[in-house]
Amino acid sequence: MGNDQRRNLEQLDPKQRRRIEKRRRERRKQRRRRAMMLRAATLGVLILILIGCIAGVAFGVKKGMTKKQEAKAEKEQQIQAEEAENDKRQKLIKDAELATVGYDYDKAVELLKSIENYDKDADIIAKIAAYEAAKSTLKSVNIDQVTHVFYHSLVVEPEKAFTGNDSATAGFCQWMTTVDEFNAITQQMYDNGYVLVRLHDLVNQTTDDDGTVHFTKAKILLPEGKKPFVLSLDDLSYYHSYDGRGIASKMVIGEDGKPTCEYIQDDGTVVTGAYDCIPLMNEFLEEHPDGAYRGARGTVALTGYNGILGYRTDIAYKTKENLAEDQQKWMAENPDFDWDKEVAEATKVADAIKETGWDFASHTWGHIRIGDSSLETIKADTEKWQSYVAPLVGGSDTVIFAHGQDLADWHDYTMENEKFAYFKSQGFNFYCNVDSSQYFLQIRDNYLRQGRRNLDGYRLWNDVHGEKNRTSDLFDAATVLDKKRTDVPSL
């Protein structure tokens, strides 16, 4: 305030001076408030600018980190993709190598050529060349000289099967082979150059639009010195009559997911293991994959009247009608029996057997004598097999006749043969009988027919103790025959 203003103020009365001073103080407060507000606004702006800067820096850092993480993730994905591709490559190489062990060089080459950029891979190109060269050394076998052997269920404990003077014991002695005999035969046949082939491997099959099938002889290529053979198994149903006779009780799925057997010991303890042909042959061929052509296995011929594979799946066990005495006894001993569950379990086991390469065939539902039976009997029997066995095993185009009988003599089947015509109408195209000769094979336009050689107690005993040895081309019967056999009754 200037001097003049002070003098003027002093000239005013005190009341006026207080009002003026009060106004002045208010103006000063207003100015201070405006200054404070200006400073606060400025500070706010500065803070906002600072926050923006910090956010910008953080965003930039985060963006940089995200890019690094994305780059790292992308690199990891690339590594995983490369590892997966390499694993796939190695598996294809391994599968190709396994295919060559089974003499399937075409499949091996096809697998190798499915590898990405195989034609730029020197190792793969070399393998393909090696496989093609190996294939060129194979020899075409004479399809007419492929022998066919068969077994029934194997005897685990001979003292149980071969002891007694009744007809059942005579049957076990005659028709059954022991586990030791089977293993010895399998090893000797392998050592002698025999290679297992499927029955269906013997033909090339074509089918017309109307379902009519046509067959021609297939071409099987094997190394020189190797000899193909077909294998089949009869009556893998584990009949009630087998109970307590030293034979497995049923087929089951083992802990490894593979088919194996259940066996009931004397104290009632149930154990599992390789007590019959399927698991024994599977184990042998897993160790000797070159003993099977393209992973071949045998054909399992099933009846149905006691169920299949040890499971009581026939409809009689559900309806409880027309049960035989042994079936009635079994039902009484199993009051909690669940037929639907039994069928489901049997189907699972059949699927597991097929997954390992085995095929299924009809052995007729009732194990009937096909040559002696009337057409009406055959139809009724086949309808039962198609209804209560086929759905469990996925059907079949093969029938293996029981009791060694056949639809006709050695002459060709014709459609004038009403039994043959009926089986054809039911979808059966492969037919097998029993013939002790080394080879019997007919491949015609509309069917295949093959004789089978029984490798059982009767054959082994007579090859050792009889006048004629019929298995010397396969193995040495004298070293195969189980020492626990003391005699085999004549037929």
Side-chain angles (χ1 to χ4, degrees):
M1 178 184 298
N3 293 331
D4 292 338
Q5 289 178 326
R6 288 192 184 96
R7 285 192 295 267
N8 292 334
L9 183 62
E10 289 173 354
Q11 294 175 0
L12 297 175
D13 61 69
K15 188 175 181 180
Q16 289 177 325
R17 286 201 301 269
R18 284 195 297 272
R19 285 199 300 270
I20 292 171
E21 288 177 357
K22 183 178 180 181
R23 287 197 294 270
R24 288 176 178 174
R25 285 195 300 269
E26 289 176 354
R27 285 195 293 269
R28 285 196 294 267
K29 287 181 180 179
Q30 288 176 357
R31 285 196 296 269
R32 284 196 297 269
R33 281 198 297 268
R34 285 196 293 270
M36 290 177 64
M37 290 176 64
L38 180 60
R39 287 195 294 270
T42 302
L43 180 60
V45 171
L46 292 174
I47 290 173
L48 289 174
I49 292 172
L50 179 60
I51 291 173
C53 291
I54 293 172
V57 172
F59 177 76
V61 172
K62 183 177 180 181
K63 186 175 181 181
M65 291 178 63
T66 301
K67 287 184 176 180
K68 289 181 180 179
Q69 291 173 344
E70 289 176 350
K72 182 180 179 181
E74 185 177 349
K75 186 174 182 180
E76 289 177 351
Q77 290 176 354
Q78 183 179 357
I79 292 172
Q80 291 174 356
E82 289 174 354
E83 289 177 347
E85 187 64 30
N86 185 59
D87 290 344
K88 179 181 177 182
R89 178 180 183 276
Q90 293 304 318
K91 184 180 185 304
L92 288 169
I93 292 173
K94 183 178 180 180
D95 290 347
E97 186 64 28
L98 183 60
T100 66
V101 177
Y103 317 106
D104 194 350
Y105 290 97
D106 290 338
K107 180 180 179 180
V109 170
E110 181 182 349
L111 287 169
L112 292 182
K113 287 186 175 181
S114 69
I115 296 174
E116 188 175 357
N117 297 321
Y118 79 90
D119 54 344
K120 298 180 179 62
D121 189 321
D123 291 339
I124 300 300
I125 293 172
K127 285 181 179 294
I128 290 174
Y131 292 164
E132 290 175 340
K135 180 187 175 183
S136 69
T137 67
L138 301 181
K139 306 297 181 182
S140 181
V141 303
N142 185 345
I143 296 296
D144 291 320
Q145 294 183 359
V146 177
T147 198
H148 186 153
V149 301
F150 79 97
Y151 301 90
H152 291 91
S153 293
L154 301 181
V155 172
V156 181
E157 297 184 79
E159 58 274 16
K160 293 182 178 180
F162 303 153
T163 301
N165 296 315
D166 58 349
S167 59
T169 299
F172 286 121
C173 291
Q174 292 165 338
W175 309 128
M176 301 306 196
T177 312
T178 69
V179 168
D180 289 343
E181 289 169 340
F182 176 84
N183 288 336
I185 291 172
T186 301
Q187 184 65 58
Q188 288 194 29
M189 288 185 65
Y190 173 79
D191 293 340
N192 290 334
Y194 280 93
V195 175
L196 178 61
V197 302
R198 294 175 66 239
L199 179 64
H200 290 63
D201 286 334
L202 303 182
V203 293
N204 296 315
Q205 178 176 334
T206 59
T207 306
D208 295 340
D209 293 339
D210 62 0
T212 302
V213 299
H214 302 278
F215 296 120
T216 57
K217 290 182 181 179
K219 185 176 184 180
I220 295 177
L221 298 175
L222 292 175
E224 189 168 6
K226 295 292 185 181
K227 295 165 283 189
F229 79 100
V230 175
L231 169 68
S232 56
L233 311 176
D234 285 7
D235 303 298
L236 202 68
S237 296
Y238 300 106
Y239 304 122
H240 293 302
S241 59
Y242 291 2
D243 294 347
R245 300 308 298 257
I247 294 172
S249 57
K250 64 169 57 175
M251 293 293 301
V252 295
I253 300 175
E255 293 181 358
D256 58 359
K258 299 177 182 178
T260 188
C261 298
E262 178 186 275
Y263 187 81
I264 303 174
Q265 299 178 316
D266 290 339
D267 62 359
T269 302
V270 177
V271 294
T272 58
Y275 298 114
D276 211 339
C277 299
I278 288 178
L280 286 171
M281 183 59 79
N282 283 348
E283 288 180 1
F284 183 86
L285 292 175
E286 285 172 6
E287 296 177 3
H288 307 83
D290 59 326
Y293 175 71
R294 301 186 174 186
R297 294 295 187 269
T299 301
V300 182
L302 297 174
T303 58
Y305 65 93
N306 268 181
I308 66 168
L309 306 173
Y311 297 86
R312 306 312 167 196
T313 55
D314 188 60
I315 192 65
Y317 293 93
K318 181 177 183 178
T319 64
K320 300 180 178 58
E321 298 176 355
N322 302 315
L323 293 172
E325 183 177 346
D326 56 3
Q327 291 175 308
Q328 294 176 14
K329 179 176 180 293
W330 187 88
M331 291 293 288
E333 293 171 349
N334 296 271
D336 297 327
F337 172 72
D338 185 328
W339 185 81
D340 292 314
K341 183 178 179 181
E342 193 86 344
V343 168
E345 192 62 28
T347 303
K348 289 180 183 178
V349 175
D351 287 342
I353 291 172
K354 288 189 292 184
E355 286 175 6
T356 61
W358 295 81
D359 298 315
F360 284 103
S362 169
H363 199 41
T364 72
W365 175 87
H367 205 265
I368 64 174
R369 296 179 181 274
I370 209 77
D372 298 339
S373 298
S374 66
L375 179 61
E376 289 70 26
T377 298
I378 292 172
K379 285 182 177 182
D381 180 274
T382 303
E383 287 172 4
K384 289 182 179 180
W385 197 91
Q386 297 283 42
S387 296
Y388 305 121
V389 181
L392 280 61
V393 300
S396 179
D397 59 359
T398 304
V399 57
I400 293 178
F401 302 123
H403 300 288
Q405 293 201 349
D406 202 339
L407 299 176
D409 59 19
W410 61 271
H411 292 90
D412 287 7
Y413 292 153
T414 66
M415 294 303 286
E416 282 69 40
N417 181 328
E418 59 181 6
K419 293 180 181 179
F420 172 68
Y422 172 71
F423 275 111
K424 283 290 293 181
S425 74
Q426 295 298 301
F428 292 104
N429 299 308
F430 294 79
Y431 303 83
C432 296
N433 55 24
V434 176
D435 192 317
S436 60
S437 60
Q438 189 174 7
Y439 311 115
F440 176 77
L441 179 66
Q442 290 178 348
I443 296 176
R444 303 297 184 256
D445 177 67
N446 61 344
Y447 74 89
L448 177 149
R449 180 189 189 191
Q450 190 173 36
R452 305 181 304 147
R453 304 164 69 181
N454 51 305
L455 302 185
D456 50 29
Y458 175 82
R459 175 56 51 219
L460 295 174
W461 182 269
N462 283 280
D463 279 4
V464 175
H465 300 287
E467 296 180 356
K468 186 174 182 179
N469 187 324
R470 295 180 180 274
T471 57
S472 58
D473 59 310
L474 304 173
F475 51 82
D476 179 8
T479 60
V480 165
L481 188 68
D482 198 309
K483 292 180 172 55
K484 294 180 180 179
R485 289 187 185 273
T486 57
D487 188 22
V488 173
S490 59
L491 299 179

